[in-house]
Amino acid sequence: GFVAGLVLAVSSFTGWYTGPEQGVTVSVLGWHTGTLGKLVFVLGAAAVVLVVLREAGVAMPAALPESLVTIALGALATIFVLVRLISIPDDFFFAGRGIGIWIALVSAIGVIGAGVLQASEEL
């Protein structure tokens, strides 16, 4: 979960869209794609914090298993990235999808996978 969360957070600062504008190739960071790009960073950071807290011995309340929280974070991030993948913001109509958005998608799914693995260990 730590690595997937970290990659997810960092992916907000990678090129989600790239394309030519006025003869120059422009790369648009996920962070600059609006609220969703920033939320992807926050969700990735939250997944990292969960792992750090667990390693520090801080436990989640029994009513809220850590695996469920991790799966929820990954699912939300996946939805946000898919929205940006399908619907390029109008400001960046000239651009195509960059490698960063694919990294964000894979790492968001990785966070879900980490949550599922945790759930299987918790049973």
Side-chain angles (χ1 to χ4, degrees), residues 8-27:
L8 181 61
V10 170
S11 75
S12 290
F13 301 101
T14 60
W16 282 18
Y17 306 115
T18 57
E21 184 180 44
Q22 300 172 352
V24 182
T25 299
V26 177
S27 182

PDB file of all heavy atoms in Angstrom, residues 8-27:
ATOM      1  N   LEU A   8       0.931   7.045  -6.444  1.00  0.00           N
ATOM      2  CA  LEU A   8      -0.306   7.749  -6.746  1.00  0.00           C
ATOM      3  C   LEU A   8      -0.177   9.232  -6.420  1.00  0.00           C
ATOM      4  O   LEU A   8      -0.526  10.089  -7.233  1.00  0.00           O
ATOM      5  CB  LEU A   8      -1.475   7.133  -5.972  1.00  0.00           C
ATOM      6  CG  LEU A   8      -2.849   7.757  -6.200  1.00  0.00           C
ATOM      7  CD1 LEU A   8      -3.265   7.625  -7.661  1.00  0.00           C
ATOM      8  CD2 LEU A   8      -3.886   7.087  -5.313  1.00  0.00           C
ATOM      9  N   ALA A   9       0.357   9.557  -5.236  1.00  0.00           N
ATOM     10  CA  ALA A   9       0.528  10.959  -4.843  1.00  0.00           C
ATOM     11  C   ALA A   9       1.474  11.677  -5.805  1.00  0.00           C
ATOM     12  O   ALA A   9       1.175  12.774  -6.286  1.00  0.00           O
ATOM     13  CB  ALA A   9       1.048  11.045  -3.407  1.00  0.00           C
ATOM     14  N   VAL A  10       2.611  11.043  -6.109  1.00  0.00           N
ATOM     15  CA  VAL A  10       3.603  11.653  -6.999  1.00  0.00           C
ATOM     16  C   VAL A  10       3.064  11.793  -8.424  1.00  0.00           C
ATOM     17  O   VAL A  10       3.397  12.741  -9.137  1.00  0.00           O
ATOM     18  CB  VAL A  10       4.919  10.838  -6.977  1.00  0.00           C
ATOM     19  CG1 VAL A  10       5.878  11.297  -8.049  1.00  0.00           C
ATOM     20  CG2 VAL A  10       5.564  10.935  -5.602  1.00  0.00           C
ATOM     21  N   SER A  11       2.173  10.885  -8.832  1.00  0.00           N
ATOM     22  CA  SER A  11       1.652  10.929 -10.208  1.00  0.00           C
ATOM     23  C   SER A  11       0.887  12.219 -10.490  1.00  0.00           C
ATOM     24  O   SER A  11       0.751  12.611 -11.646  1.00  0.00           O
ATOM     25  CB  SER A  11       0.761   9.712 -10.500  1.00  0.00           C
ATOM     26  OG  SER A  11      -0.503   9.843  -9.857  1.00  0.00           O
ATOM     27  N   SER A  12       0.420  12.907  -9.446  1.00  0.00           N
ATOM     28  CA  SER A  12      -0.255  14.188  -9.646  1.00  0.00           C
ATOM     29  C   SER A  12       0.695  15.242 -10.205  1.00  0.00           C
ATOM     30  O   SER A  12       0.259  16.257 -10.726  1.00  0.00           O
ATOM     31  CB  SER A  12      -0.844  14.704  -8.329  1.00  0.00           C
ATOM     32  OG  SER A  12      -1.918  13.911  -7.938  1.00  0.00           O
ATOM     33  N   PHE A  13       1.991  14.990 -10.059  1.00  0.00           N
ATOM     34  CA  PHE A  13       2.993  15.932 -10.548  1.00  0.00           C
ATOM     35  C   PHE A  13       3.692  15.424 -11.809  1.00  0.00           C
ATOM     36  O   PHE A  13       4.782  15.873 -12.143  1.00  0.00           O
ATOM     37  CB  PHE A  13       4.007  16.242  -9.437  1.00  0.00           C
ATOM     38  CG  PHE A  13       3.341  16.829  -8.222  1.00  0.00           C
ATOM     39  CD1 PHE A  13       3.080  16.049  -7.116  1.00  0.00           C
ATOM     40  CD2 PHE A  13       2.930  18.156  -8.215  1.00  0.00           C
ATOM     41  CE1 PHE A  13       2.440  16.579  -6.006  1.00  0.00           C
ATOM     42  CE2 PHE A  13       2.280  18.693  -7.119  1.00  0.00           C
ATOM     43  CZ  PHE A  13       2.038  17.908  -6.000  1.00  0.00           C
ATOM     44  N   THR A  14       3.058  14.462 -12.491  1.00  0.00           N
ATOM     45  CA  THR A  14       3.582  13.980 -13.769  1.00  0.00           C
ATOM     46  C   THR A  14       2.683  14.509 -14.883  1.00  0.00           C
ATOM     47  O   THR A  14       1.586  15.008 -14.634  1.00  0.00           O
ATOM     48  CB  THR A  14       3.622  12.438 -13.817  1.00  0.00           C
ATOM     49  OG1 THR A  14       2.286  11.934 -13.648  1.00  0.00           O
ATOM     50  CG2 THR A  14       4.519  11.873 -12.733  1.00  0.00           C
ATOM     51  N   GLY A  15       3.138  14.378 -16.121  1.00  0.00           N
ATOM     52  CA  GLY A  15       2.390  14.902 -17.260  1.00  0.00           C
ATOM     53  C   GLY A  15       1.178  14.044 -17.596  1.00  0.00           C
ATOM     54  O   GLY A  15       1.317  12.958 -18.133  1.00  0.00           O
ATOM     55  N   TRP A  16      -0.009  14.528 -17.233  1.00  0.00           N
ATOM     56  CA  TRP A  16      -1.240  13.799 -17.545  1.00  0.00           C
ATOM     57  C   TRP A  16      -1.651  14.031 -18.990  1.00  0.00           C
ATOM     58  O   TRP A  16      -2.262  13.178 -19.606  1.00  0.00           O
ATOM     59  CB  TRP A  16      -2.359  14.222 -16.600  1.00  0.00           C
ATOM     60  CG  TRP A  16      -2.267  13.593 -15.243  1.00  0.00           C
ATOM     61  CD1 TRP A  16      -1.178  12.999 -14.689  1.00  0.00           C
ATOM     62  CD2 TRP A  16      -3.303  13.493 -14.279  1.00  0.00           C
ATOM     63  NE1 TRP A  16      -1.476  12.540 -13.433  1.00  0.00           N
ATOM     64  CE2 TRP A  16      -2.774  12.830 -13.157  1.00  0.00           C
ATOM     65  CE3 TRP A  16      -4.637  13.908 -14.252  1.00  0.00           C
ATOM     66  CZ2 TRP A  16      -3.534  12.567 -12.022  1.00  0.00           C
ATOM     67  CZ3 TRP A  16      -5.380  13.646 -13.113  1.00  0.00           C
ATOM     68  CH2 TRP A  16      -4.832  12.979 -12.018  1.00  0.00           C
ATOM     69  N   TYR A  17      -1.337  15.217 -19.509  1.00  0.00           N
ATOM     70  CA  TYR A  17      -1.671  15.536 -20.902  1.00  0.00           C
ATOM     71  C   TYR A  17      -0.454  16.177 -21.541  1.00  0.00           C
ATOM     72  O   TYR A  17       0.226  16.991 -20.920  1.00  0.00           O
ATOM     73  CB  TYR A  17      -2.846  16.530 -20.973  1.00  0.00           C
ATOM     74  CG  TYR A  17      -4.071  16.086 -20.221  1.00  0.00           C
ATOM     75  CD1 TYR A  17      -4.526  16.780 -19.112  1.00  0.00           C
ATOM     76  CD2 TYR A  17      -4.774  14.951 -20.619  1.00  0.00           C
ATOM     77  CE1 TYR A  17      -5.647  16.362 -18.415  1.00  0.00           C
ATOM     78  CE2 TYR A  17      -5.892  14.528 -19.922  1.00  0.00           C
ATOM     79  CZ  TYR A  17      -6.330  15.238 -18.827  1.00  0.00           C
ATOM     80  OH  TYR A  17      -7.438  14.825 -18.135  1.00  0.00           O
ATOM     81  N   THR A  18      -0.187  15.779 -22.775  1.00  0.00           N
ATOM     82  CA  THR A  18       0.894  16.412 -23.519  1.00  0.00           C
ATOM     83  C   THR A  18       0.418  16.674 -24.930  1.00  0.00           C
ATOM     84  O   THR A  18      -0.411  15.935 -25.471  1.00  0.00           O
ATOM     85  CB  THR A  18       2.157  15.521 -23.581  1.00  0.00           C
ATOM     86  OG1 THR A  18       1.802  14.267 -24.162  1.00  0.00           O
ATOM     87  CG2 THR A  18       2.757  15.294 -22.216  1.00  0.00           C
ATOM     88  N   GLY A  19       0.957  17.720 -25.525  1.00  0.00           N
ATOM     89  CA  GLY A  19       0.590  18.024 -26.901  1.00  0.00           C
ATOM     90  C   GLY A  19       1.215  19.325 -27.348  1.00  0.00           C
ATOM     91  O   GLY A  19       1.751  20.086 -26.543  1.00  0.00           O
ATOM     92  N   PRO A  20       1.136  19.582 -28.648  1.00  0.00           N
ATOM     93  CA  PRO A  20       1.730  20.807 -29.184  1.00  0.00           C
ATOM     94  C   PRO A  20       0.807  22.008 -28.965  1.00  0.00           C
ATOM     95  O   PRO A  20      -0.402  21.921 -29.123  1.00  0.00           O
ATOM     96  CB  PRO A  20       1.856  20.496 -30.680  1.00  0.00           C
ATOM     97  CG  PRO A  20       0.756  19.515 -30.948  1.00  0.00           C
ATOM     98  CD  PRO A  20       0.569  18.738 -29.680  1.00  0.00           C
ATOM     99  N   GLU A  21       1.403  23.109 -28.531  1.00  0.00           N
ATOM    100  CA  GLU A  21       0.658  24.362 -28.447  1.00  0.00           C
ATOM    101  C   GLU A  21       1.588  25.465 -28.925  1.00  0.00           C
ATOM    102  O   GLU A  21       2.656  25.662 -28.359  1.00  0.00           O
ATOM    103  CB  GLU A  21       0.182  24.636 -27.024  1.00  0.00           C
ATOM    104  CG  GLU A  21      -0.668  25.900 -26.963  1.00  0.00           C
ATOM    105  CD  GLU A  21      -1.159  26.212 -25.567  1.00  0.00           C
ATOM    106  OE1 GLU A  21      -0.382  26.109 -24.608  1.00  0.00           O
ATOM    107  OE2 GLU A  21      -2.325  26.574 -25.455  1.00  0.00           O
ATOM    108  N   GLN A  22       1.196  26.139 -29.973  1.00  0.00           N
ATOM    109  CA  GLN A  22       1.998  27.212 -30.581  1.00  0.00           C
ATOM    110  C   GLN A  22       3.406  26.727 -30.903  1.00  0.00           C
ATOM    111  O   GLN A  22       4.388  27.403 -30.630  1.00  0.00           O
ATOM    112  CB  GLN A  22       2.023  28.442 -29.662  1.00  0.00           C
ATOM    113  CG  GLN A  22       0.640  28.989 -29.407  1.00  0.00           C
ATOM    114  CD  GLN A  22       0.622  30.084 -28.353  1.00  0.00           C
ATOM    115  OE1 GLN A  22       1.623  30.347 -27.695  1.00  0.00           O
ATOM    116  NE2 GLN A  22      -0.526  30.727 -28.201  1.00  0.00           N
ATOM    117  N   GLY A  23       3.496  25.526 -31.466  1.00  0.00           N
ATOM    118  CA  GLY A  23       4.778  24.988 -31.917  1.00  0.00           C
ATOM    119  C   GLY A  23       5.644  24.395 -30.821  1.00  0.00           C
ATOM    120  O   GLY A  23       6.741  23.919 -31.092  1.00  0.00           O
ATOM    121  N   VAL A  24       5.197  24.431 -29.594  1.00  0.00           N
ATOM    122  CA  VAL A  24       5.971  23.885 -28.476  1.00  0.00           C
ATOM    123  C   VAL A  24       5.194  22.719 -27.879  1.00  0.00           C
ATOM    124  O   VAL A  24       3.973  22.771 -27.770  1.00  0.00           O
ATOM    125  CB  VAL A  24       6.181  24.968 -27.381  1.00  0.00           C
ATOM    126  CG1 VAL A  24       7.014  24.422 -26.243  1.00  0.00           C
ATOM    127  CG2 VAL A  24       6.810  26.213 -27.960  1.00  0.00           C
ATOM    128  N   THR A  25       5.905  21.651 -27.500  1.00  0.00           N
ATOM    129  CA  THR A  25       5.227  20.546 -26.840  1.00  0.00           C
ATOM    130  C   THR A  25       5.026  20.897 -25.378  1.00  0.00           C
ATOM    131  O   THR A  25       5.968  21.207 -24.668  1.00  0.00           O
ATOM    132  CB  THR A  25       6.044  19.245 -26.968  1.00  0.00           C
ATOM    133  OG1 THR A  25       6.180  18.942 -28.354  1.00  0.00           O
ATOM    134  CG2 THR A  25       5.333  18.097 -26.274  1.00  0.00           C
ATOM    135  N   VAL A  26       3.777  20.858 -24.968  1.00  0.00           N
ATOM    136  CA  VAL A  26       3.411  21.247 -23.605  1.00  0.00           C
ATOM    137  C   VAL A  26       3.010  19.997 -22.829  1.00  0.00           C
ATOM    138  O   VAL A  26       2.354  19.116 -23.365  1.00  0.00           O
ATOM    139  CB  VAL A  26       2.215  22.240 -23.650  1.00  0.00           C
ATOM    140  CG1 VAL A  26       1.760  22.602 -22.249  1.00  0.00           C
ATOM    141  CG2 VAL A  26       2.583  23.481 -24.433  1.00  0.00           C
ATOM    142  N   SER A  27       3.417  19.935 -21.566  1.00  0.00           N
ATOM    143  CA  SER A  27       3.001  18.847 -20.686  1.00  0.00           C
ATOM    144  C   SER A  27       2.210  19.460 -19.534  1.00  0.00           C
ATOM    145  O   SER A  27       2.668  20.393 -18.890  1.00  0.00           O
ATOM    146  CB  SER A  27       4.226  18.104 -20.151  1.00  0.00           C
ATOM    147  OG  SER A  27       3.818  17.029 -19.343  1.00  0.00           O
TER     148      SER A  27
END
